Amino acid sequence: MKKALITGITGQDGSYLAELLLEKGYEVHGLMRRKSKLEFGNVEHIKDKINIIYGDVTDPISVMNAMKTSEADEVYNLAAQSFVGTSWEQPLATAHIDALGVTNVLEAIRTIKPEAKFYQASTSELYGLVQEIPQKETTPFYPRSPYGVAKLYGHWITKNYKESYDMYACSGILFNHESERRGKEFVTRKITDAVTRIKLGLQDKLELGNMESKRDWGHAQDYVRAMWLMLQQEEPDDYVVATGETHKVREFVEKAFSFVNINVEWQGEGVEEIGIDKSTGKIIVSVNPQFFRPAEVDILLGDPTKAETTLGWNREISFDSLVERMVKNDLDKLKG
Ligand code: NAP
Ligand code: F7E
């Protein structure tokens, strides 16, 4: 039986990855931060099937302990302060977790079980001010947030440990992936949550920031398969995981409303832009500059050719069904 250690197991990706590895017969260990109230987040439903180890990636002692306890053959480092907006408010905490935390995990592997395979959760935010479209493994990086900069360190320290110590260490450069388990501060879940509340008369309006922004959105369930595949190869390598499609935030809004039978008509421009419910004439979307970022990533569009041809990875969930699933989930939750 293979053993895996997942940091960030309570998050969106951690929970889908834990499910996948359990299905494959792994013994799954998860590093979890202690909270004032005992909560298992997205792994509540499988908490009896996994071994929770308390710890924090910023605390090397606890990471060493997790490595010793789990005796992991595969380590997936998903722990992060993952919200880009917050990284301007907490740049140092973000750096401690998203940059130095990676070194703590790599050191624990090197010291305790150097033959273990390591996956680092890199991100399309590394491309930031994009240097080419679409972005692929060879596209130069230009991060645009403290989050992106911290992740750049994580990416390079992973490469450095591979080259310095001949470790099986690799990074998945994953483009945005969403799901029914996405946190509500991220734009997709914020939209589907608000759309369903507006439909049921529980909220009047959705306030957003930059709706011109374009993202390559996939479903997290598809993306965790790519993580696992990356650790099943003969040699470690880095891969872009993306859909090869990009959509504006505005398009996501229209699509989400369409699944609750509301047609949105847009009027005005910039901060004056509003979205109107065609059948009632009510304003249901407006712009709030509070959600603008100090520096924006305008367009992300990934080229997943290498992952498709080398790993045999393919996405199964389309953009439309991603939005539909998220809307349906939020609607079901509200209806109880
Ligand atoms: P998420 O839902 O925000 O989950 C982050 C996880 O990290 C949570 O379990 C969180 O635990 C844990 N964590 C945070 N700080 C920690 C610390 N100091 N020590 C230990 N655990 C800590 O993020 P996600 O969407 O699943 O993303 C997973 C990883 O992929 C992250 O590294 C993210 O940056 C990266 N990524 C995500 C995307 C995407 O579109 N989703 C794309 C590319 C890369 P708590 O429950 O205690 O907060
Ligand atoms: O923003 C715009 C915002 O916060 C997407 C993380 O998983 O993916 C994620 O980072 C876009 C941005 O995700 C609002 O300005 C407009 O352009 O959903 P987001 P993100 O910043 O792309 C990458 C790959 C990661 O690695 C990260 O961990 O939407 N936007 N209006 C808004 N964004 C938010 N959050 N809220 C708004 O009201």
Side-chain angles (χ1 to χ4, degrees), residues 82 123-124 147 176 182 185 187 190 209 213 215 293 296:
S82 74
T123 165
S124 51
Y147 169 81
N176 297 56
R182 190 58 143 155
E185 69 273 46
V187 80
K190 179 176 170 180
S213 186
R215 289 290 181 275
R293 291 177 176 174
E296 181 60 284

Side-chain angles (χ1 to χ4, degrees), residues 16 29 51 62 66 86 90 99 158 229 247 249 279 289 302 304 314 327:
Y16 284 116
H29 301 259
N51 179 38
S62 69
T86 294
Q90 299 178 26
T158 301
L229 283 167
H247 300 269
V249 170
S279 66
N314 272 300
V327 169

Side-chain angles (χ1 to χ4, degrees), residues 176 178 188 191-192 214-219 222-223 243-256 258-259 315-327:
N176 297 56
E178 317 293 314
T188 55
I191 294 168
T192 60
K214 292 173 106 177
R215 289 290 181 275
D216 180 329
W217 281 298
H219 195 290
D222 279 339
Y223 287 43
T243 70
E245 272 176 40
T246 192
H247 300 269
K248 284 190 179 178
V249 170
R250 191 181 295 100
E251 216 180 317
F252 196 105
V253 174
E254 285 167 6
K255 186 66 73 184
S258 79
F259 286 118
R315 70 140 169 182
E316 287 170 4
I317 301 168
S318 67
F319 176 70
D320 277 19
S321 54
L322 164 72
V323 184
E324 188 176 16
R325 281 167 70 146
M326 290 180 72
V327 169

Side-chain angles (χ1 to χ4, degrees), residues 95-134:
H96 280 297
I97 302 167
D98 300 10
L100 301 183
V102 186
T103 311
N104 286 334
V105 180
L106 284 163
E107 264 305 304
I109 296 173
R110 188 175 81 83
T111 313
I112 292 158
K113 194 170 175 182
E115 69 277 20
K117 293 182 168 184
F118 175 76
Y119 171 86
Q120 167 59 14
S122 282
T123 165
S124 51
E125 283 293 301
L126 299 180
Y127 297 120
L129 186 63
V130 299
Q131 303 293 298
E132 76 179 321
I133 299 174

